[in-house]
Amino acid sequence: MSAKTRPTRSRRRRGTERRRLVDYPRHGRRGVRRWLPSWRLVGGTFLTLVGGVLGLFAAVYAYVDVPSENLAARQEANVYYWADGSKMVSVGAVNRQNVPLAKVPVAVRNAAIAAENAGFYSDSGVSFTGLVRAAANMARGRETQGGSTITQQYVKNTYLSQEQTLSRKVQEFCIALKMDSRKSKDEILQGYFNTSWFGRGAYGIQAASDAYYGVGVDQLNASQGAFLAALLKGGNDYDPALSEANRKRAVERWSWILDRQVELGMMTVRERAKHTVFPMPRAQSMATNLSGQTGYLVDVAKRYVKKQTSLTDADLDRGGYRIYTTFDRRAVQELERAVKDVVARHIDPRAREEDRYVEVGAASVRPGDGAITAIYGGRNATEHFTNNADTSGVPAGSVFKPFVLATALQHGVLAEGGAVQPVSADSFYDGAGRLSVGLSPVSRRDSFVSPLAAFARFTTLREAMVQSINAPFRKLGTDVGLGRVEDMAVGAGMLRSSMAPHNKEFPLGTSSPSAIRVAGAYATFASEGVRHDPYSVTRVVRGDETVSGLGKPAARRVMDRGVARDVTAVLQDAAGRTRAAAAAGTVGRFAAASTGEGDVQRAAWFAGYTEKLSTAVTMFRSQPGKPLLPIGGTGGEGSRRGSVFPAQIWSEYTGKVSPSGR
């Protein structure tokens, strides 16, 4: 071979380079340029990825078929069970009445389309941006929720579960594409209206129009339709009957939906001008099988399940759950009987103005594990919707003082020079306002004297608790630190959100915990300083699957055992020597605190515990839409501002469910 035809080394090297499938790192380049990919490589990689994604999507699309309807065809009720496993109540089945689209006024249809999917009649049934957003959210560890079309929402409601995962979102996307090609837009819109959840247990536009306005769907006007369309974003977040924040959100979204219809040409400006007053829905009603205390029990159980698990109201309203509670049927019946008996004997709204609007709330918690065994939420859950056992807003008064004492016993107070001075139940304030430890000039066994006179004579903290003297506890709370007092109360089981501002009256019970939380916090004393969070549900099952997140709450020590025992000893003295507690003297050995004549709050409380049961009872006067009314004078002369009645209820009830006081 001649030198002309013999390939040179450089030509052979270039030929080798041309044969490389991917020129990376780049040959013939040096430094940084060697590692910068060429535009051909970038473009080729991008096209390969796009092709791969499209191929994968085509495979998934071919694999995923439209399943049979699962929710619309197979709906079940939720069943709640007593602690012994017997059935309490069956709630449901799903509240739905399917209606043809022709019965849904055009204005109502337009409101939903304007609110949820303005391009419904022209789109392909899916939102690509929503799918991309779902993938991005998953990558960031968030929920995959994002801008679904009406078709996708219908698919989710009718064919799929409500879980928020990317795989479920892709499945929804594929089924929606196929659905859009197989059904007309009107058929899809009809299905969407009949399967959507609007809150108040209502599935479908017909059930919603009845639940919120008491009319058939064909009688809804444009303004009402705009409000119901607002509920599609979240029934529990936009039902104005549930909270003031909800009402504000509902009004804003209702107004936006009406304006949006004008913007889209669905409504004229002139028509929009007719709708300036928010169409406030009627009050929520409750099914008759939830009458008496049953509705309150279900309410407490549902709240607990939603707090501890990923289940929502919408999930629970779909039904099929078996919910096992901690409620003791006999205890609930005895508590209701005790309340009714005491109220019937002493409260007469026809004879006394002060006896009008009287309400009672009560709850029992088992100290050993925190199980809520009984509640009294009001006279009837179908008539009085607020659960008096599980609501804040009623000041605790003197039943809060034991937590001031516990804080002092646990931490002591700062003496002069910054040293920590220990405190005992027999400590007292001397004439200079200094806390002293030792024997006070007033014997613990002195006869009852007026609160002011007793404080002037250096009453011990024990005696101040027994005689409900406020001044020593007001001073003690300040000395030990109001923040520490709050931390102790919250640590024992009260909610931080129920705590009042830190002023000089804070140690005297201006905070407003619920009866359940008071009973739970007193149970911490009964269990010698170990807190067990109140719980009401032990297990939730759907089909063969048990819902996770409902294990028994873990116990934790929140105060020294000696501190809890000392508080119990003081409260045992209080239970045996105060006139209000005398009404509860048939139970045996127990510890308790109550509101008394020194309290200026607008409620009467009695909270007490035995070794195996902690119960709190409150009585107050509540007129809808107004602040709490004064409790003084309720029950007539001798009622000690109503304080004797919670003690009587406690006594009659506890004597039946725990007659030996154990």
Side-chain angles (χ1 to χ4, degrees):
M1 181 180 296
S2 68
K4 266 188 177 179
T5 59
R6 186 183 301 119
T8 65
R9 183 177 301 174
S10 61
R11 288 174 62 191
R12 287 197 300 272
R13 185 166 55 249
R14 287 196 298 272
T16 303
E17 291 172 357
R18 281 197 296 269
R19 288 194 294 271
R20 295 180 68 210
L21 181 62
V22 178
D23 183 20
Y24 192 82
R26 299 174 69 184
H27 284 273
R29 300 288 190 275
R30 296 183 180 278
V32 175
R33 295 181 62 193
R34 175 177 171 79
W35 299 99
L36 291 176
S38 67
W39 68 268
R40 291 187 182 87
L41 179 60
V42 173
T45 302
F46 176 76
L47 291 175
T48 301
L49 288 175
V50 170
V53 170
L54 291 176
L56 178 62
F57 180 79
V60 172
Y61 182 82
Y63 175 78
V64 173
D65 198 6
V66 178
S68 59
E69 293 188 358
N70 59 353
L71 294 176
R74 299 192 303 274
Q75 292 295 347
E76 303 174 72
N78 290 326
V79 182
Y80 291 79
Y81 296 89
W82 295 103
D84 63 4
S86 60
K87 180 179 175 181
M88 178 198 305
V89 66
S90 178
V91 181
V94 168
N95 178 18
R96 174 193 286 122
Q97 302 90 44
N98 291 337
V99 294
L101 186 63
K103 287 197 68 175
V104 182
V106 173
V108 178
R109 301 183 217 174
N110 287 342
I113 293 172
E116 297 294 313
N117 184 187
F120 168 69
Y121 276 103
S122 60
D123 65 25
S124 59
V126 295
S127 168
F128 287 96
T129 57
L131 183 62
V132 172
R133 187 182 300 113
N137 286 343
M138 188 196 71
R140 291 195 294 263
R142 301 177 183 174
E143 289 188 351
T144 62
Q145 270 184 316
S148 296
T149 64
I150 282 177
T151 306
Q152 286 176 266
Q153 292 181 56
Y154 169 53
V155 166
K156 180 181 67 174
N157 294 341
T158 309
Y159 300 101
L160 302 174
S161 70
Q162 300 299 304
E163 63 178 345
Q164 294 294 326
T165 62
L166 185 59
S167 61
R168 206 277 299 151
K169 195 75 176 177
V170 171
Q171 192 178 14
E172 169 197 298
F173 189 93
C174 293
I175 295 174
L177 270 177
K178 293 186 176 183
M179 181 72 64
D180 192 71
S181 65
R182 297 181 185 182
K183 289 190 175 185
S184 70
K185 289 291 188 179
D186 282 352
E187 287 178 315
I188 292 172
L189 187 61
Q190 175 178 293
Y192 173 68
F193 273 125
N194 284 325
T195 58
S196 292
W197 182 72
F198 290 83
R200 297 193 179 185
Y203 278 88
I205 190 68
Q206 175 64 43
S209 62
D210 180 64
Y212 289 94
Y213 293 110
V215 300
V217 63
D218 56 338
Q219 300 176 53
L220 291 172
N221 59 41
S223 183
Q224 294 168 334
F227 166 68
L228 294 182
L231 294 170
L232 292 168
K233 194 172 179 66
N236 277 358
D237 294 328
Y238 290 86
D239 184 347
L242 298 181
S243 70
E244 178 60 25
N246 272 21
R247 191 195 68 80
K248 183 178 179 181
R249 277 193 294 267
V251 171
E252 289 177 352
R253 187 155 179 82
W254 162 81
S255 180
W256 176 83
I257 290 172
L258 290 171
D259 291 340
R260 178 68 168 155
Q261 291 179 72
V262 175
E263 180 184 334
L264 295 171
M266 296 174 171
M267 179 183 290
T268 66
V269 175
R270 190 172 184 177
E271 174 67 17
R272 171 65 180 92
K274 297 177 182 178
H275 308 301
T276 57
V277 178
F278 179 69
M280 191 69 182
R282 65 179 183 171
Q284 185 173 1
S285 61
M286 191 173 288
T288 54
N289 64 335
L290 296 177
S291 61
Q293 297 306 301
T294 306
Y296 302 124
L297 296 169
V298 169
D299 173 65
V300 169
K302 281 185 67 175
R303 289 192 192 189
Y304 184 77
V305 169
K306 289 187 296 180
K307 178 182 177 183
Q308 298 298 126
T309 72
S310 61
L311 296 179
T312 65
D313 276 303
D315 296 326
L316 292 169
D317 283 347
R318 286 186 180 88
Y321 293 94
R322 301 193 302 278
I323 301 168
Y324 296 86
T325 75
T326 60
F327 305 128
D328 183 296
R329 186 208 304 257
R330 178 171 170 265
V332 171
Q333 292 172 344
E334 292 295 348
L335 183 55
E336 183 178 26
R337 183 179 295 114
V339 172
K340 289 183 174 180
D341 287 351
V342 171
V343 169
R345 287 199 306 267
H346 300 288
I347 306 300
D348 187 357
R350 293 171 298 180
R352 288 181 295 270
E353 175 68 24
E354 294 85 356
D355 286 7
R356 298 183 64 191
Y357 307 111
V358 170
E359 296 288 345
V360 176
S364 288
V365 171
R366 196 162 57 209
D369 63 355
I372 303 172
T373 58
I375 65 167
Y376 179 85
R379 58 187 176 275
N380 191 321
T382 61
E383 300 172 5
H384 176 74
F385 303 127
T386 301
N387 189 340
N388 295 340
D390 195 26
T391 186
S392 297
V394 182
S398 287
V399 297
F400 190 79
K401 291 177 184 174
F403 303 98
V404 182
L405 178 61
T407 308
L409 297 176
Q410 181 77 37
H411 298 289
V413 298
L414 287 177
E416 293 181 5
V420 176
Q421 177 182 340
V423 176
S424 77
D426 295 312
S427 297
F428 63 94
Y429 283 97
D430 62 20
R434 294 171 301 201
L435 196 67
S436 300
V437 179
L439 203 58
S440 79
V442 176
S443 167
R444 284 179 49 201
R445 291 171 174 76
D446 278 355
S447 60
F448 182 84
V449 293
S450 71
L452 289 177
F455 186 46
R457 296 168 58 196
F458 316 118
T459 302
T460 64
L461 298 176
R462 184 190 307 273
E463 195 70 20
M465 182 74 73
V466 169
Q467 298 189 12
S468 193
I469 303 172
N470 287 336
F473 282 94
R474 184 185 289 113
K475 182 74 164 61
L476 183 65
T478 301
D479 287 351
V480 77
L482 301 182
R484 278 184 167 177
V485 173
E486 176 175 321
D487 289 343
M488 177 63 75
V490 171
M494 295 185 186
L495 295 179
R496 184 82 64 182
S497 60
S498 70
M499 295 292 103
H502 290 180
N503 56 36
K504 66 178 182 179
E505 301 301 314
F506 177 78
L508 306 184
T510 53
S511 297
S512 53
S514 67
I516 289 176
R517 287 293 170 171
V518 171
Y522 271 60
T524 299
F525 293 134
S527 59
E528 297 189 333
V530 176
R531 168 180 169 172
H532 301 84
D533 284 331
Y535 71 101
S536 57
V537 175
T538 59
R539 188 163 52 108
V540 175
V541 180
R542 196 172 197 274
D544 296 326
E545 295 185 4
T546 299
V547 177
S548 61
L550 289 167
K552 188 178 295 186
R556 59 186 185 277
R557 179 164 295 282
V558 296
M559 69 183 77
D560 292 345
R561 179 178 283 105
V563 169
R565 288 177 174 176
D566 287 346
V567 172
T568 293
V570 172
L571 294 182
Q572 285 176 332
D573 282 352
R577 298 176 62 202
T578 61
R579 285 179 288 175
T586 61
V587 176
R589 193 67 171 157
F590 66 95
S594 66
T595 49
E597 293 178 354
D599 286 279
V600 296
Q601 307 301 334
R602 300 194 172 196
W605 283 83
F606 190 91
Y609 53 93
T610 64
E611 181 182 339
K612 296 184 178 179
L613 190 67
S614 175
T615 302
V617 182
T618 181
M619 178 180 284
F620 54 94
R621 296 176 64 218
S622 176
Q623 186 176 1
K626 295 185 178 180
L628 291 183
L629 300 171
I631 196 73
T634 299
E637 295 294 329
S639 72
R640 296 186 69 227
R641 303 175 64 172
S643 295
V644 70
F645 303 133
Q648 290 179 354
I649 293 169
W650 191 96
S651 174
E652 292 190 16
Y653 160 69
T654 307
K656 293 288 181 63
V657 298
S658 183
S660 65
R662 297 192 298 271

